[in-house]
Amino acid sequence: MSGILLLLIISGLFCGWLELSHRLRPFSPLNIKTFNWNVKKTLKGITVIGIIEIINPHRRMEIMVPEIQAIPLILGKEGVKNIRVKTSISPLHRDQEARKDGYWEAYIIKSKSNTQAYITISLEGNDPIEVIDSANNIWLDIKWVNYGPFGRLNRRNGFVIPLKRPDPLISETAYFKQFKNFQLLPLKTHLLGSLDIIEDVIITYVSKIAQPGDILAIGETPVAIMQSRYHHPSTVNPGSLSRLLCRGFHPTSSLATACGLQTLIDIVGPSRVLISFIIGLISKALGFKGLFYVLSGEQARLIDDITGTTPPYDQTIVLGPKSPKQLCEKLSSKLGIDVAIVDVNDLGRVKILAANRNCKKVFVKQALISNPAGNANEQTPLVLIRPYQ
């Protein structure tokens, strides 16, 4: 009995040490968002202007931003040759004027405060029409440094800025795929990102074509991306625990890399992951699989490591969506149809993460087995299911 008690005490102390080490890891409270992007066609090509905002929610800590870079990558499926790109950042600090030479002066963001900056991106070429035709999106890579009590941290955030958007379908231009008990219509959208408001996207692409009795299926990854639930693996600092335990997962799992598993640890804590792993390992030896994912929480199954989604998000780690049930109820109320958030692959696996109260989940699974949205670069994150009456 005393041996068991000693083991429990040692285990408790070890878990406490794990949690303390995790909480004391270098971490900056600053976060960054971007908005108000305006895309204009010019005589030389395209000019894009927007705002980034750096926010410090901490109640005591003051953080310095000594460096920041905006690096745009022009995306176009047919190629983007011969485009000259010019980028500038102009600070909008309340208490400090911007330098005319474009130099970013190290700036202190006080507790419970924020600052902003203009970003201007000019796309030019010898043939302006070629520039406009070939450039579809901009992936804006923000590389910045946070400096404070935690040390010096290199941060990296990416945002998609759409330069083109497809025209929403209407009933006259919609072509439904015909099946025995239902019709399916994959809906093409622009390249979605954190600049998008989910409700606005759904209303834009669905409202003109939806009918009573329809069911809207939304991919879980696009929802998470619009909620800004993704990050670059360079911002993840894998610890010894993630480096060790990740080797115990199947090579195709998103938790089979140190950064993927560390992402889960950062969400639920190291002790929970370790205990879930040990119990899962024992249960697997006894013939019961999948217990780790049950014990470690929903995000364990939903995290997508790099290569897990469509470019340019294929270079990021994407989490599962936040509050999917509430979102389905809200969208269902706005559209007047049933809504489900789903995870579908080419192997016929259909998982419904959430749906509104009256949605027929069994029917949705049957309709999506063929994966009509695809897993490549179709940009069809929405699928309208129309049962035969």
Side-chain angles (χ1 to χ4, degrees), residues 192-383:
L192 301 174
S194 56
L195 298 182
D196 292 299
I197 298 173
I198 298 174
E199 292 87 342
D200 292 348
V201 169
I202 300 304
I203 294 297
T204 298
Y205 290 105
V206 180
S207 62
K208 293 182 180 180
I209 199 167
Q211 297 179 3
D214 288 351
I215 305 171
L216 177 65
I218 312 171
E220 55 100 2
T221 298
V223 171
I225 287 172
M226 286 188 282
Q227 292 175 331
S228 300
R229 293 177 61 77
Y230 62 92
H231 56 261
H232 196 274
S234 65
T235 63
V236 180
N237 184 23
S240 300
L241 185 66
S242 60
R243 294 179 188 276
L244 175 64
L245 297 189
C246 72
R247 303 171 190 272
F249 292 88
H250 191 278
T252 60
S253 170
S254 289
L255 303 181
T257 66
C259 289
L261 186 56
Q262 185 64 46
T263 295
L264 178 62
I265 290 173
D266 291 343
I267 296 171
V268 302
S271 296
R272 183 174 178 181
V273 170
L274 177 59
I275 294 170
S276 300
F277 185 86
I278 293 173
I279 295 175
L281 200 63
I282 295 172
S283 66
K284 187 176 181 181
L286 297 174
F288 301 98
K289 296 182 179 181
L291 193 55
F292 169 84
Y293 295 95
V294 175
L295 298 175
S296 57
E298 185 180 34
Q299 287 297 324
R301 290 188 182 276
L302 298 180
I303 290 172
D304 280 329
D305 205 350
I306 66 169
T307 75
T309 188
T310 186
Y313 301 105
D314 62 321
Q315 298 189 22
T316 68
I317 299 172
V318 184
L319 309 181
K322 182 179 180 181
S323 304
K325 174 68 174 177
Q326 293 90 323
L327 180 60
C328 288
E329 295 289 356
K330 185 176 182 179
L331 293 175
S332 176
S333 177
K334 283 182 175 291
L335 292 171
I337 62 174
D338 290 333
V339 176
I341 295 176
V342 300
D343 182 13
V344 186
N345 63 27
D346 288 330
L347 301 177
R349 174 182 166 275
V350 181
K351 181 181 179 182
I352 299 179
L353 273 67
N356 65 291
R357 190 183 310 110
N358 298 319
C359 184
K360 299 177 181 177
K361 296 181 180 180
V362 174
F363 185 79
V364 173
K365 286 186 175 182
Q366 293 174 346
L368 297 180
I369 286 178
S370 63
N371 191 17
N375 280 107
N377 300 327
E378 292 89 346
Q379 283 184 216
T380 51
L382 312 175
V383 176

